[in-house]
């Protein structure tokens, strides 16, 4: 099996294990199949070793649930937006926070989160008035900070000027995490925080 086929099979098996673990009905055989695939990829984890060293018939329902969760964690499996719509819903909520700043600064236009057909990776993109710019957001990489970065690039592509700007220094702002809060920062005066994302003041 070539690397591309291996990755595709891993995604498909991982999705089946994730769905069965989430919805109930995970079977030991499916889990062992995924463990074999992971080992074929020359990746050995505590969960794969336990699954392959023990007889499948000996695995209890509790063992299967425990090992299913452990294996997905160990191989860093992240469900797609289609598989876990709640991940996309979270991005939409984060985008609403960014949109408050867009409206506060007087910018009009349609801002939305989409998964375009042309993205074969299934990433989410911020679209502003039909335009895309920058990079998509893969599942599991959301949060207000990343959504604000993506939105900023899409918005500036359309309005052809820096957005947002510091109300004091008229400089373009950038995003940063400050004490676990996503904020807009200005580079002037050795750098200062203007406002948390979603709380920009309207122009005076």
């Amino acid at each position: 099996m070539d690397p591309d086929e291996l990755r595709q099979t891993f995604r498909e098996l991982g999705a089946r294990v994730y769905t069965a673990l989430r919805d109930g009905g995970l079977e030991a055989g499916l889990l062992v199949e995924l463990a074999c695939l992971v080992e074929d990829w020359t990746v050995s984890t505590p969960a794969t070793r336990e699954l392959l060293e023990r007889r499948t018939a000996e695995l209890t329902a509790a063992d299967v649930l425990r090992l299913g969760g452990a294996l997905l964690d160990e191989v860093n499996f992240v469900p797609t937006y289609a598989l876990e719509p709640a991940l996309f819903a979270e991005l939409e909520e984060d985008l609403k926070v960014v949109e408050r700043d867009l409206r506060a600064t007087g910018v009009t236009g349609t801002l939305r989160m989409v998964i375009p057909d042309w993205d074969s990776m299934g990433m989410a993109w911020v679209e502003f008035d039909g335009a895309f710019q920058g990079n998509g957001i893969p599942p599991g990489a959301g949060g207000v900070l990343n959504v604000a970065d993506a939105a900023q690039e899409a918005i500036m592509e359309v309005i052809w000027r820096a957005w947002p700007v510091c109300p004091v220094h008229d400089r373009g702002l950038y995003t940063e995490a400050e004490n676990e809060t996503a904020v807009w920062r200005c580079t002037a005066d050795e750098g200062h925080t203007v406002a948390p994302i979603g709380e920009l003041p309207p122009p005076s």
Side-chain angles (χ1 to χ4, degrees):
M1 190 180 295
D2 67 38
D4 287 340
E5 290 177 323
L6 197 60
R7 278 189 286 271
Q8 181 61 29
T9 303
F10 169 75
R11 285 193 289 266
E12 291 172 356
L13 271 177
R16 289 172 60 194
V17 169
Y18 178 88
T19 303
L21 189 62
R22 180 194 63 194
D23 300 339
L26 178 60
E27 297 179 355
L30 179 61
L31 202 50
V32 170
E33 189 178 352
L34 179 58
C36 287
L37 183 67
V38 172
E39 291 272 345
D40 286 345
W41 215 331
T42 68
V43 176
S44 183
T45 74
T48 61
R49 290 192 295 273
E50 183 175 349
L51 282 163
L52 299 180
E53 289 169 4
R54 294 179 60 182
R55 293 177 58 191
T56 302
E58 295 176 351
L59 296 172
T60 66
D63 288 332
V64 171
L65 291 176
R66 172 178 58 82
L67 290 168
L71 181 54
L72 292 180
D73 286 343
E74 289 167 357
V75 298
N76 298 316
F77 178 81
V78 179
T80 63
Y81 291 116
L83 192 61
E84 195 54 77
L87 294 175
F88 188 77
E90 289 172 4
L91 293 182
E92 292 182 308
E93 290 303 311
D94 291 334
L95 190 61
K96 289 178 183 178
V97 175
V98 180
E99 188 170 17
R100 292 203 297 263
D101 289 336
L102 189 68
R103 305 313 175 199
T105 54
V107 179
T108 60
T110 302
L111 186 68
R112 64 182 188 138
M113 187 71 65
V114 298
I115 302 176
D117 293 338
W118 48 258
D119 187 337
S120 61
M121 300 299 291
M123 292 195 288
W125 291 73
V126 174
E127 179 191 79
F128 182 64
D129 274 1
F132 302 92
Q133 184 64 18
N135 299 308
I137 304 172
V144 172
L145 198 69
N146 288 339
V147 171
D149 282 336
Q152 184 179 40
E153 292 195 57
I155 292 164
M156 291 194 300
E157 176 70 11
V158 173
I159 66 176
W160 283 90
R161 64 179 186 273
W163 180 88
V165 296
C166 176
V168 176
H169 302 101
D170 199 33
R171 287 192 185 182
L173 305 179
Y174 66 95
T175 62
E176 189 170 274
E178 184 177 84
N179 297 323
E180 301 184 357
T181 299
V183 300
W184 293 112
R185 295 269 300 170
C186 175
T187 59
D189 289 344
E190 300 182 354
H192 66 99
T193 297
V194 174
I197 294 174
E199 298 180 24
L200 280 176
S204 56

